[in-house]
Every structure is written in C-alpha cells, then in structure tokens.
Amino acid sequence: MTLDIAAGTQLRFAEYFTEIPSEPETRATLIESWFPARELSQLIAKDRRVRDPAYAAHRWWARRPPALLRALLIASVLPPGVSAQEFWRRYASEEHHLAGKTVYDPFMGGGSTLVEAQRLGASVMGSDVDPMSVRIVKSELAPVDGNELREYGKVLLAHLHSELSWLYPSEPDAEPLHYFSIAEVQCPSCSATGPLYRNLVLVRDPKKAGAVVRDHAITAFCPVCSKLHNLKSAHRKEIRCCGKRFKITQGTFRSGAYHCPSCDVASTHRELKTGAARRRVLAVEETQENGRRRLRAPNNEDEAEQLQAVREWEAQRPHLPHPEGEIRATRSDERPRSYGVNKYEELFTPRQLLVLGHALKWIRDNVQADDFRRALELAISNALATNNRLCGYATDYGRLSALFSVRGYSLPALTVELNPLHETAGRGTIAACIERVAKSDTGEIRRHIWDAQTEQPRPNLFSFLRKNQPFWVELKNATSASDAEALEKIDVAIFDPPYFDFIAYDELSEFHRAWFGELDLAGDPLLPRSEEPVESFGLQLGQCLSEMVNRARGSNPFAFTYHSANPDAWRAVGVALDFAGLVVTKLWPIRSDGHMGHHSNPGNCEWDVVVVCRPKAGTAAQEFLDEVSLWVSNMKPLEVNAADIRNFNFAIDMARSRFAKVF
C-alpha cells in the first residue's frame, strides 16, 4: 500500500516506522497522575472575556485557551506527587518555571503554546504550513517597542490624511464613521431589480450597557425612496412613506432567500450573485465633537467622491499594493465565490483599496527596520477584516461586525463600510489596529487563578516580563523532517493538531495572505483523504509525532488537545500513535469551547480531551479504568452535552488498547 504524503513523497507503509531510541531512564510526570481539569475548566470560562495584548494584535481562528496551555506546560515538567497547592502556586507566580527547557509546537497556528511557554521562561520552537501564522507568531514572541511603533503610526496616518481624506468628506461639526448600504439584486425569474434587506432598521437604542446612546429609539429607512425615519418609540411597528405603510420588521430576505417583490419567487445568494450586485447607500453615520452619533442621508458630495475613488483606483492600481489572485474554485467552503466574488480584490471597495494600498506602500518605502515594518504590516493586515465589502453592523450596540466574526464568509444583508481614517471612534480603524500591535509589548494582563481557600477562580494581575529567550519559528509542513540540526532537541511538546472534521482555516487566512503575495502554503494541510480517511490522516499525524520522538531530550511526555464526535477521528489518532510507537499514559477532559455565542450548536463538542502520550520504552501496559460516567461525575457542576458524551466514549475506546504506565 502507498500513500501520497503532504511532502509529495511516495512511501511504503513500513517506511513510516522510525526506530525509537531507548532512554536510559523513564520518569513519570505530574500530568500522568493528576491534573486539575474541573478547576481549570472554570478558569477557562472566567478568562473567556479577558483580552490578552499578546494575542490581540491579529486575529487567529483557532486558539486553545491560554490558561489550559499554561497548566499543561507546568504539569508536563513537574514530578508526580507535587501537591495541588504547589501546582497552583506555580501557576499563579511569574517565575520562569520552564527556564532551560525547549518547548515545541509543530502546529503553532496563532502561537498560544509558544507565548505561554516563553512566559514561563522556555526557549520555543514552532512551525506551521501557513505563512500568516509565521507573521503573527513572530510578532507575538518578539514584539516591537510600543511607543516607537506609535510614532511610526502617527506619521503614517498623517500621510494617509494628506493624500486621502477627500475620500470621506466631512461636515464642519461632524466626521463620517460608517456608510450603510444594501444590495439591489435582479430576480432570475422576472428580471425585476429590487432591494435585498432583512428589515428596515438601521440603528436602534435599546438602552443596553455598552451600547451607543442615541437621540432616537430607532432609525429606519423607506425601501422605496431610502428616506430616513427617526422614531422616538422603540415600540413602533411600521413607517409611512411614499404613500404606503411598511412593517419595520419585515424584509425581502427571509428564511435564507430573497423574495422578489414583483413575482414572489425565492432566490439564493448563489442565484442572485449578491456579492457582485450594485449597492444602494442608505445612510452615513457621523460622530460629532459635542454631541451623539447621528445618521444622515447621503448627499451629492458623497456620491461624487465615490465615483472619483473608482477613477483614482483605476489610475493608481498599477503602483499600489493590492490583493492578488483568484479565490480558489476548489474549496471546502464555496463562499465567497457562491456570492459572485471570484477575486480577492473584489472583496474591497475602491476607497478601501486606495487607503490600504497607500498604507502598505508608505510602510515599505519609509520603514527601514524590518521588525517595525513587519509590525505595521501586521496592523494593516488586521484592519482588512473590518475594511471590506462583507462587514455588517451590530444594530443594538452600534458597532461594526467584522468579517470572520463567525468562522467563515458571511454576507450580511445590511453592509457597513468604515471610515478607516477616523481617529477617535470605530472598530478596526487604521489607528486602532496600530494601537493593538503597540499594546502587545506589555506583559501586564489580568487573568484568573484558582483560590484554594474559596475554591473559586479569582482575578490576578500578571506582569509577564519580556526576556530575550531564544525562539525559532518557520514555515514548514509538520510531517516533513526538520533540517535544523542545531535546534533539533526538545524537552516539551504541547500542541493542538488539526481536527479530522476539517475546518479550512487556510481558506480564511488566504484573505490576508493575498495582500502579501503569499497564497501558497508550505505544503498540504493535514486532512483526511477521501479514499482512506482514517489511514491517511493518522499516518500524516504519525509522521509529525515521529519527528517529535526523534527530537525528544529527556523523558517528558507529549500532550495534545483533541475532540470529535466522529469515531473515525479518534481511530485516526490511534493510527498516529501506533505509527510513532507511542502509548497513552493519561486522558483528561477539559471544557474549552463552552458558551460560544453564535458558534454554539447542541451538536458541537464543548470539551477537549487532553491526550498524554510517550514512547513505549520504559512503560508497561495497564488496564484503562476511566469511564465516561466517572468523568461526567467529576466535572460537576459543569454540564456535558450529548456530542461530548460521544467524544469522551470514542477517546476512551481509542486509549484502552494503548494505555500504559511508566515503570
């Protein structure tokens, strides 16, 4: 039997096996006998709203909770018998408990394992197939001086204002912040053109904490003439305009389809090509120096500047950085091509292309220091998610809803274009994104620790001092052998491999990579092949585990997080462990994805299983005595849903024939 491995080499099954060097002495660690899974699950829930400056500089789509990674790193190097009190003391302290150790993550993604290891004093190594991952992790591990970056930012913003402020015409007492628009689509059945909208509400003031305070309860629009209606009562059900009555809560887009007002035939975004449709600007939201935000109708100057932006972009396009390449037709998610968008450039308006292109050109022409140039480019990359054609609006809160707020390309009925040059308001402006990168140089963060007295989480201010610990991150397929001899040995490996039920994060990061000419990955992402899904996924993951075995120095176990309610996914994990000559020495359930808001689904797993494993040498096979009922009982009062019951059962089934204890 042969399998085409991601590196492209044809290898026979037997050639995968690597002779495992025996260790002179194998020693158990704390994570193989004790781990505070229930308490840690509660800490993770408490930390969910905490913003860590190190991770805020740029979005990544799949981060394991930093609290979990910190705990795994500490427990992986402590000997068995260490008390719970001592473990939590180390967890809460800022000491470098991993000083002199090297931590490795072959699937580093957003870099959380490496950042937490660096904070514990370790040298770190990581790799990923995605160039965007390398950009982000380098910034996290070696942040630039925040104050100096802010000075660069001031000069950049001054340049953009001098060149492009005409794109966003201001009134003497107000500055535009958001431009609201809806698509005008053509019905495939009757060819009539009509507006696509879910309801008539543009903004609302529900008196919620943290929401924008407004002068009116609701501002709605007429679907015929676009006139704005400011309503004093939040209980109004309709507006009167153009000789008609319109219900505020009703629209032409409902139940996932557009219903033509002329013939009532329902059409999908795919049939309408909504993403490429002409857009009607309904309103401009402005900030006032001495007043609340207000909405006004677009005027002739707004329209003239947008037409001028189209002409300017056509003239300047050859000289400015811009997204390159077509959106791949072969994708796991057919969006945004199904919306009628085929090129990455089509995801941006001419105004957005001008601002972002001028920003990147100025950075490349004027910032000589490589680290500051990369930091500013990262800020502009982060701004892409809030400056594109697919941004929506949180009506009740008055905030722009960025692309990838859910893990995919969504197409809001009401789209919002931000003024990226606004300096005092707005989510995702150029100034705000530069500030997020600038703040990443601070080590101060408020996170929760476990209070042994009250047996409850409590907040704690950490001051993680930045030291120049060695780090090495590279663009590399995790299944390919490393050629870095000098950095080959590792002490600890904590990682989160891609899941068998694949989410194509590379398709999301490609949106950013298109601006940097980095559309190609370092190799194929780790995913099951359709012909032999379990074997293909398991053997590729096993290649990665084998490299870790060959790199290992000492006898610390490896640990990785995994979840799936698909039995094949856990069978593939078993194939990987067998391939690399590893045994399971412990499993721990951890609730890490609970209360995910609009990501929630009763069929989704909310719990990870931590798989602790090590080479067979120095171990003896044992009976695995854990049962799902025991896990569920031990985690109370935390709840376990039906999907996670299956997840736990499949994990335990995988471990039973592979379980061993250290001599």
Side-chain angles (χ1 to χ4, degrees), residues 216-220 228-232 236 295:
H216 306 94
I218 295 174
T219 298
L228 301 183
H229 293 255
N230 294 315
L231 310 178
K232 293 183 179 180
R236 281 278 297 273
L295 263 66

Side-chain angles (χ1 to χ4, degrees), residues 160 164 167-168 350-359 420-421 430:
L160 295 176
L164 300 171
L167 290 170
Y168 308 96
R351 284 196 295 202
Q352 291 166 340
L353 290 164
L354 283 167
V355 172
L356 297 166
H358 271 273
L421 303 183
I430 300 293

Side-chain angles (χ1 to χ4, degrees), residues 170-176 286-294 422 424-425:
S170 301
E171 296 187 4
D173 63 336
E175 183 177 2
E286 298 178 319
T287 57
Q288 303 179 85
E289 284 189 20
N290 299 307
R292 294 172 178 170
R293 288 192 199 176
R294 69 185 185 194
H422 204 296
T424 60

Side-chain angles (χ1 to χ4, degrees), residues 164-172 174-181 228 278-286 294-311 349-351 417 419:
L164 300 171
S165 60
W166 59 269
L167 290 170
Y168 308 96
S170 301
E171 296 187 4
E175 183 177 2
L177 179 61
H178 296 127
Y179 295 80
F180 296 80
S181 66
L228 301 183
R278 177 184 177 274
R279 304 205 69 84
R280 184 204 303 182
V281 178
L282 299 172
V284 181
E285 184 176 31
E286 298 178 319
R294 69 185 185 194
L295 263 66
R296 64 167 174 83
N299 55 37
N300 292 336
E301 188 179 6
D302 295 315
E303 185 176 351
E305 297 303 347
Q306 290 204 51
L307 292 173
Q308 180 62 22
V310 173
R311 292 190 290 267
T349 68
R351 284 196 295 202
E417 182 177 353
N419 171 7

Side-chain angles (χ1 to χ4, degrees), residues 508-529:
L508 306 184
S509 74
E510 194 173 85
F511 168 81
H512 297 271
R513 291 185 280 118
W515 282 84
F516 299 99
E518 297 174 339
L519 289 178
D520 292 335
L521 300 175
D524 293 335
L526 177 56
L527 72 163
R529 309 291 173 83

Side-chain angles (χ1 to χ4, degrees), residues 31 35 37 40 44 64 68-69 71-72 75-76 494-495 558-563 570 584-592 607-613 624 631 647-648 651 654-655:
I31 199 172
F35 193 63
L40 194 60
I44 290 167
R64 293 297 83 196
L68 170 58
L69 298 171
L72 290 174
S76 292
I494 305 291
F495 57 103
F558 309 137
F560 60 93
T561 56
Y562 203 76
H563 68 248
W570 282 104
V584 176
T585 55
K586 195 64 183 176
L587 299 179
W588 300 105
I590 294 288
R591 192 179 193 188
S592 58
W607 293 74
D608 274 333
V609 177
V610 176
V611 180
V612 186
C613 55
F624 191 76
W631 284 7
N647 176 30
F648 291 170
M654 181 279 299

Side-chain angles (χ1 to χ4, degrees), residues 372-386:
F372 282 96
R373 184 172 62 253
R374 285 195 299 265
L376 288 167
E377 286 181 345
L378 196 70
I380 301 304
S381 176
N382 204 33
L384 299 176
T386 48

Side-chain angles (χ1 to χ4, degrees), residues 209-345:
V212 172
V213 178
R214 302 186 183 276
D215 290 329
H216 306 94
I218 295 174
T219 298
F221 69 96
C222 171
V224 176
C225 70
S226 301
K227 179 181 176 181
L228 301 183
H229 293 255
N230 294 315
L231 310 178
K232 293 183 179 180
S233 172
H235 303 292
R236 281 278 297 273
K237 303 296 183 184
E238 62 181 25
I239 59 172
R240 298 181 183 182
C241 197
C242 298
K244 298 180 180 180
R245 291 185 178 186
F246 300 98
K247 290 187 177 180
I248 293 172
T249 57
Q250 289 187 357
T252 58
F253 191 83
R254 55 188 182 273
S255 301
Y258 168 74
H259 295 259
C260 177
S262 297
C263 67
D264 201 37
V265 171
S267 305
T268 64
H269 285 311
R270 173 189 287 279
E271 295 165 326
L272 297 167
K273 302 302 180 188
T274 312
R278 177 184 177 274
R279 304 205 69 84
R280 184 204 303 182
V281 178
L282 299 172
V284 181
E285 184 176 31
E286 298 178 319
T287 57
Q288 303 179 85
E289 284 189 20
N290 299 307
R292 294 172 178 170
R293 288 192 199 176
R294 69 185 185 194
L295 263 66
R296 64 167 174 83
N299 55 37
N300 292 336
E301 188 179 6
D302 295 315
E303 185 176 351
E305 297 303 347
Q306 290 204 51
L307 292 173
Q308 180 62 22
V310 173
R311 292 190 290 267
E312 284 293 324
W313 175 244
E314 290 175 351
Q316 297 187 39
R317 183 181 182 278
H319 314 293
L320 292 177
H322 56 273
E324 299 178 358
E326 289 201 0
I327 299 168
R328 286 176 288 158
T330 305
R331 299 166 60 83
S332 63
D333 183 351
E334 62 183 2
R335 300 171 299 174
R337 288 185 69 98
S338 62
Y339 302 153
V341 179
N342 297 316
K343 297 180 179 180
Y344 281 106
E345 188 174 327

